[in-house]
Amino acid sequence: MPRQFRTGDQALVRQLNRSILLQRLWVGSPLSRADLAASIGLNKTTVSDLVDELLSSGFLQEIGRNASAGGRPGVLLELNPEAGWIIGCDIAVGSLSVVLADLRARVVWRRQAAFVKEDGLHAVLDRLTALMRQAGQHARRTGRRLLGAGVAVPGLVDISNGRLIFEPNMGWRDVPLREALADRTRLPVFVDNDGNAAALAERYFGVAQGVDDFAYVVANIGLGAGLVIGGHIHYGASGYAGEAGHTTIDPQGPLCRCGNRGCWERFASQRALIERVTKSDGSPSSPALEGLTGHGTVPVSLELILEAARAGDPIVLEALRETGTYLGIGMANLVNLLNPSLIAFGGSLSLVHEYLLPVAREVAAQRAMTEMRQTRIVVSSFRQNACEMGGVALVLHDLLSRPRLVPAGRPLSAPMETGAETSLRALP
């Protein structure tokens, strides 16, 4: 069947111009109407009409006038961070996290919940929906509208329909996440792989602002990457690029849950580090950890590993060094393959970044080609909260790319209740 293309009708052109204007203000505000017209190449009348539209819908705000050598000073404009709330969600292996944030990623509400694999998919989605409802209730008490919810999830994601294709650590296959959550919450829902979402958060809010070519390595129970090339997330031919955790480090290595052997994930993830400091029965292998866990009555965690490392436990320090070494090997592969200007490191394992990254940088510098060793390796701005902030970034990205506006005076609709209508309406 021939692919259907949308023609450049007036509504589409207006939406594109609105998007260009919003993105220009995102990176360079405050700006006047004249500044905008000059920088984006639209005539002053068109810019003025778009600005008036965005002001009336609450997405822009005026913040005074600029200095002028002659004539009337121009009114300065910026994106209004209080135009509405965004719900950011992270579905990780064994845990859920939900935040409520404004358009500048300032978090005003956060909740977390744990689950086990035996709980089953439907129970996990029920728990996630409950947290999203709580976030929605908090938003409604402020009187501001909800703009949508973004969901970061590990594994292969078909972003065209928000469907999780496969997540090996939880064993989930073919899960219609966007459809299920949108039906339950009555909100626009955006779903993407956790590495892509976290990379987007870093691009909008964090250490990768203004960086067009970088990789985001997210290490939780599993490990993945978000790849930004030319300022855009790189999805690949089938939409699943970034599964760096399942590149092979050792063909004879331990079995991975993806079915392969020797994957990077098996050497440089949270699970890999914990395996290095525990015995086969799961008990601590170091005296310091044994004491911190009450002789094995409390599970070994990253927090306890960090405490033992700071106390100078040699077994824990060696495990961190080995994990950092493998982290650096994988990062060197990314450097040699992509030549990024930056690699950001986040996820739960970044809690111990002070021990991992110095080793990883040294190993990457040794193994990367000399001509490409200028790549900076840094910790994420959001560290273990990177993926939930990625959920926030998914909604913001859609807002800036395809702005659909609601007049500012329209009452906040009642999302997340039976029969409620969505909070986003297109202007006529």
Side-chain angles (χ1 to χ4, degrees):
M1 181 177 178
R3 183 177 176 183
Q4 297 297 311
F5 292 95
R6 182 178 175 186
T7 57
D9 58 24
Q10 186 177 1
L12 175 59
V13 171
R14 191 168 187 83
Q15 184 185 65
L16 290 173
N17 287 338
R18 190 189 299 140
S19 172
I20 292 168
L21 189 149
L22 281 174
Q23 292 184 50
R24 182 68 187 89
L25 281 167
W26 174 264
V27 299
S29 63
L31 295 169
S32 68
R33 289 168 173 80
D35 294 332
L36 286 166
S39 63
I40 64 180
L42 295 174
N43 66 60
K44 292 181 180 180
T45 301
T46 300
V47 167
S48 184
D49 287 346
L50 291 170
V51 166
D52 289 344
E53 181 182 77
L54 289 162
L55 284 169
S56 69
S57 62
F59 284 98
L60 295 186
Q61 60 185 5
E62 297 177 337
I63 57 169
R65 295 181 179 272
N66 61 2
S68 175
R72 185 179 180 184
V75 176
L76 292 174
L77 302 157
E78 69 174 7
L79 189 74
N80 179 12
E82 299 180 354
W85 295 116
I86 296 172
I87 297 176
C89 308
D90 173 26
I91 303 176
V93 179
S95 67
L96 302 170
S97 182
V98 175
V99 299
L100 185 70
D102 68 10
L103 270 62
R104 286 290 179 182
R106 290 186 285 260
V107 174
V108 297
W109 182 96
R110 174 182 275 115
R111 294 291 185 276
Q112 296 172 324
F115 66 89
V116 295
K117 188 174 182 179
E118 290 72 24
D119 288 339
L121 172 62
H122 293 293
V124 173
L125 291 184
D126 285 344
R127 205 164 300 170
L128 178 60
T129 302
L131 293 176
M132 294 173 72
R133 287 180 183 275
Q134 292 174 35
Q137 290 164 3
H138 186 89
R140 292 179 63 199
R141 286 195 291 270
T142 70
R144 293 189 215 161
R145 61 194 159 190
L146 274 169
L147 299 172
V151 181
V153 61
L156 304 180
V157 177
D158 183 346
I159 64 165
S160 66
N161 55 25
R163 184 177 290 269
L164 176 63
I165 304 302
F166 177 49
E167 202 300 306
N169 289 295
M170 294 184 287
W172 293 355
R173 288 185 180 273
D174 199 27
V175 182
L177 276 178
R178 185 174 73 191
E179 180 183 353
L181 293 172
D183 286 347
R184 292 168 181 229
T185 64
R186 309 294 292 175
L187 281 172
V189 175
F190 304 89
V191 181
D192 206 337
N193 167 267
D194 56 359
N196 292 336
L200 207 58
E202 216 62 58
R203 170 86 167 150
Y204 277 118
F205 313 121
V207 295
Q209 293 180 74
V211 180
D212 286 339
D213 296 276
F214 72 95
Y216 191 101
V217 174
V218 55
N220 295 308
I221 297 295
L223 187 149
L227 310 176
V228 175
I229 300 175
H232 302 281
I233 297 290
H234 178 67
Y235 285 100
S238 302
Y240 307 135
E243 287 298 321
H246 298 293
T247 55
T248 301
I249 298 295
D250 178 1
Q252 306 303 319
L255 184 67
C256 180
R257 295 194 180 186
C258 73
N260 206 345
R261 282 192 174 275
C263 293
W264 188 24
E265 178 177 298
R266 292 295 287 116
F267 296 94
S269 63
Q270 174 183 325
R271 175 184 284 126
L273 174 59
I274 290 177
E275 287 177 352
R276 289 190 177 102
V277 297
T278 54
K279 301 174 184 176
S280 58
D281 61 359
S283 62
S285 60
S286 81
L289 275 179
E290 188 174 9
L292 290 170
T293 60
H295 301 284
T297 58
V298 177
V300 174
S301 66
L302 289 174
E303 289 79 7
L304 295 180
I305 289 174
L306 181 60
E307 189 173 346
R310 288 175 174 170
D313 181 84
I315 293 176
V316 169
L317 289 173
E318 174 58 23
L320 287 164
R321 187 202 62 78
E322 186 176 354
T323 305
T325 297
Y326 281 110
L327 190 64
I329 290 172
M331 288 179 172
N333 290 339
L334 290 174
V335 170
N336 289 335
L337 182 65
L338 300 171
N339 188 27
S341 57
L342 175 77
I343 294 178
F345 172 60
S348 60
L349 191 60
S350 66
L351 183 69
V352 292
H353 71 91
E354 63 194 84
Y355 294 95
L356 298 178
L357 286 191
V359 180
R361 291 187 188 107
E362 182 179 351
V363 171
Q366 292 169 351
R367 292 176 175 269
M369 295 183 68
T370 304
E371 293 77 7
M372 293 191 282
R373 290 178 183 173
Q374 74 276 17
T375 300
R376 292 184 298 125
I377 298 175
V378 301
V379 69
S380 161
S381 298
F382 305 107
R383 303 187 186 182
Q384 58 266 38
N385 299 320
C387 297
E388 63 196 36
M389 298 312 298
V392 174
L394 290 174
V395 180
L396 176 70
H397 182 68
D398 183 76
L399 173 66
L400 296 181
S401 302
R402 299 181 301 170
R404 294 159 292 170
L405 307 178
V406 182
R410 187 189 296 275
L412 181 71
S413 61
M416 308 203 185
E417 295 180 355
T418 303
E421 58 186 356
T422 181
S423 301
L424 285 177
R425 295 279 193 87
L427 286 173

